[in-house]
Amino acid sequence: MLLVAVTGCRKLDENPANFISPENFYRTRSDAIAAVTAAYAPVRNNGFVTRNYAILGEITTDNMFPLPNNNDRVQLDNYVHTPTNGILRETWTNFYQGIAYANNVIDRVPAINMDENLRARLVGEAQFLRAFYYFHLVRLFGDLPLVTKALKSLAELDYPKRSPKADVYQVIIDDLKAAENVLPPTYSGADRGRATKGAASAFLASVYLTLKQYQLAADKAAEVMAPASGFGYGLWDDYADVFDIKNEFGKEAIFDAQFVSGPAGQGGNLIAFFAQENNSVGGRGFGSFQPTQELYDAFQVNDKRKAIFFTKGTDNKYYCNKWIDADAKTENQSDNNYPLMRYATVVLTFAEAYNEVHTPVDDNDAYKAINSIRQRAGLPLFAGLTQDQLRDSILNERRLELCFEGERWFDLVRTGLLESTLKAKGTANIKPYHILFPVPQFEIDLNQNLKPQNTGYPD
């Protein structure tokens, strides 16, 4: 202990001989590309193989429940989580790491002498990513430390306070608008999967919907859906094609957490978490994330999605079947991407936003949007609904269409239905303050300026 105390008092050497300083790194085109590549990493590192998207977006709702072998997940499922929950800390740390990477690109890459168009695109990708990370954080935790500058030296290190949500959303909107102006509509070859203009527009529509700026949300979603946009998005006719690995970068994919099978260790393993425990999928199924029977029963018998989205295990229970890689025989070998924004999401965003600003008339644009989803599912088309009925129908359609994709908790919070929905389905501990998660205690211990803690949680 004495040795630790003594060495802990030594002055930190900011110029170690074997360290490449930021000033020496951000010099070339290759440096710029490498820096942006690093900024993408936290997209897929949100929990091991992106699992925190499903944990926080689905297990906390009426869609899924966890295998009772992980206390952090069980806490979240039962709404008895505390600021010491490891999943919350992991998510906060990961996304702020992504913000730091993005800030480095935004601040340093503009000074690199390189092709102007490529330089502008790379900065635009970083702006998109910073907005992506902040959009997740602000919805999960509320007011946030707003860090938009790269740390140049330890002398600049400070302990930021939490900024109001409105300020965070303004940065998100500004970043997405800036990204829209410079990102291309499509990529080819190895660049497929990078942030596009369409991805920036799609997330901007979601931001506006979250803020209840419905006309802006409808207009932005309409831009993404317009054939003249040049994005080439659309709905696959067959649901099997939506999640087929060969269509990973197809017309319904807008932005994914990406995985590539093979010896390089870039494969995914999320399918194992969704598969039945000890199932052969991905080497061995973990059974960690299980659909509720109520969700399965919510699908009509003739809904084409039911057979694609679910599979029955040997235990006679149903499991998620959206992401299956028949070639994945060992852990971390799956080639499946995890969708973070797909075209169907935009269609449903448009339907919801349009319905909020227009009185329903049969076959108006809101009806056309949601009915395009229902038609593909083989379901009767909606007609003759009141505005309230159509609103409820669109939210239910989002639940069915996007189940297991990390959207449900955000939808219930956004519509003010989290507490009432979960209480009605047996979650006894849900309280009004659970529309936010607590700031991780680890972060507060490091930075007392993060106080006060979110309402309802121990300070």
Side-chain angles (χ1 to χ4, degrees):
M1 291 177 65
L2 178 62
L3 177 62
V4 172
V6 171
T7 56
C9 293
R10 293 177 181 171
K11 183 179 179 181
L12 179 64
D13 181 6
E14 290 192 56
N15 298 290
N18 63 346
F19 175 74
I20 301 176
S21 70
E23 289 73 19
N24 291 328
F25 176 76
Y26 292 90
R27 297 288 184 87
T28 68
R29 174 183 182 276
S30 296
D31 293 343
I33 294 173
V36 174
T37 300
Y40 275 98
V43 172
R44 54 170 281 167
N45 292 341
N46 184 29
F48 177 58
V49 294
T50 74
R51 66 189 179 196
N52 286 0
Y53 294 112
I55 294 172
L56 294 176
E58 302 288 338
I59 283 177
T60 54
T61 75
D62 49 352
N63 277 2
M64 300 194 77
F65 63 94
L67 194 70
N69 64 350
N70 181 288
N71 188 52
D72 286 335
R73 297 174 201 162
V74 172
Q75 283 183 6
L76 291 163
D77 179 48
N78 292 326
Y79 277 86
V80 294
H81 50 273
T82 70
T84 61
N85 187 280
I87 292 166
L88 298 177
R89 174 186 170 183
E90 189 177 49
T91 300
W92 176 289
T93 301
N94 177 64
F95 284 152
Y96 266 108
Q97 185 177 60
I99 289 166
Y101 291 156
N103 285 340
N104 274 322
V105 174
I106 294 166
D107 283 5
R108 300 178 188 277
V109 167
I112 297 177
N113 184 16
M114 58 182 291
D115 177 81
E116 292 183 7
N117 291 331
L118 176 58
R119 183 174 59 203
R121 192 204 84 192
L122 294 174
V123 171
E125 290 180 62
Q127 289 169 315
F128 168 87
L129 290 169
R130 184 168 68 180
F132 174 85
Y133 297 135
Y134 266 128
F135 187 39
H136 276 79
L137 285 169
V138 73
R139 290 180 294 165
L140 293 171
F141 300 105
D143 298 346
L144 294 171
L146 196 50
V147 183
T148 58
K149 295 293 182 184
L151 186 66
K152 300 294 196 302
S153 70
L154 292 179
E156 296 180 359
L157 184 64
D158 63 3
Y159 297 90
K161 296 181 179 180
R162 297 166 70 184
S163 296
K165 290 188 297 182
D167 294 347
V168 179
Y169 273 111
Q170 190 58 58
V171 168
I172 294 169
I173 291 169
D174 290 345
D175 275 348
L176 290 174
K177 286 182 175 180
E180 278 185 308
N181 289 332
V182 294
L183 293 180
T186 60
Y187 294 91
S188 60
D191 284 331
R192 291 187 306 168
R194 289 180 177 273
T196 62
K197 175 181 173 63
S201 298
F203 274 99
L204 192 52
S206 288
V207 171
Y208 287 142
L209 187 68
T210 300
L211 295 174
K212 295 181 169 52
Q213 298 176 6
Y214 296 118
Q215 188 63 62
L216 291 174
D219 291 344
K220 188 56 64 174
E223 288 180 21
V224 179
M225 296 162 61
S229 67
F231 299 142
Y233 299 135
L235 297 174
W236 292 102
D237 293 332
D238 188 334
Y239 268 103
D241 288 331
V242 179
F243 305 102
D244 194 314
I245 291 172
K246 71 176 184 294
N247 295 326
E248 280 185 334
F249 303 107
K251 62 182 179 180
E252 197 155 337
I254 296 180
F255 189 68
D256 293 348
Q258 296 182 54
F259 296 95
V260 179
S261 63
Q266 297 298 312
N269 202 36
L270 196 59
I271 57 172
F273 285 92
F274 283 108
Q276 179 184 356
E277 190 175 16
N278 295 321
N279 185 286
S280 61
V281 168
R284 180 183 76 82
F286 300 155
S288 302
F289 311 152
Q290 300 178 32
T292 63
Q293 183 67 41
E294 188 269 335
L295 172 64
Y296 179 82
D297 292 341
F299 286 83
Q300 297 179 34
V301 174
N302 58 338
D303 192 326
K304 294 179 180 179
R305 294 173 293 198
K306 202 166 191 175
I308 299 295
F309 292 4
F310 298 90
T311 186
K312 182 178 280 191
T314 57
D315 56 1
N316 213 35
K317 297 177 182 178
Y318 289 99
Y319 293 87
C320 170
N321 199 46
K322 274 189 172 181
W323 303 285
I324 295 299
D325 184 349
D327 296 327
K329 304 300 183 185
T330 62
E331 190 173 0
N332 303 329
Q333 195 183 29
S334 172
D335 201 16
N336 295 92
N337 289 349
Y338 185 76
L340 298 169
M341 177 65 69
R342 61 184 177 95
Y343 183 68
T345 315
V346 177
V347 172
L348 291 166
T349 293
F350 173 81
E352 181 176 342
Y354 190 93
N355 181 56
E356 293 297 333
V357 292
H358 295 86
T359 302
V361 177
D362 283 0
D363 207 33
N364 74 356
D365 287 344
Y367 274 114
K368 288 177 180 176
I370 190 172
N371 281 338
S372 69
I373 301 293
R374 290 182 63 80
Q375 184 174 29
R376 180 170 68 169
L379 297 175
L381 305 187
F382 285 136
L385 303 179
T386 67
Q387 188 176 44
D388 289 344
Q389 290 171 333
L390 185 54
R391 179 187 300 116
D392 292 343
S393 298
I394 292 169
L395 180 63
N396 185 63
E397 208 65 39
R398 284 183 68 97
R399 182 192 185 194
L400 302 180
E401 176 70 23
L402 306 177
C403 62
F404 317 130
E405 297 180 35
E407 294 286 341
R408 179 64 171 167
W409 185 84
F410 296 111
D411 285 348
L412 290 174
V413 171
R414 174 173 52 76
T415 55
L417 295 173
L418 180 69
E419 183 185 10
S420 61
T421 298
L422 297 191
K423 268 192 174 178
K425 297 179 181 180
T427 304
N429 297 314
I430 186 78
K431 299 291 192 299
Y433 63 80
H434 282 132
I435 58 172
L436 291 175
F437 292 103
V439 175
Q441 188 61 46
F442 178 82
E443 299 296 335
I444 292 179
D445 290 343
L446 291 175
N447 177 11
Q448 293 292 304
N449 287 334
L450 296 179
K451 291 184 176 181
Q453 177 59 271
N454 286 336
T455 300
Y457 298 103
D459 204 351

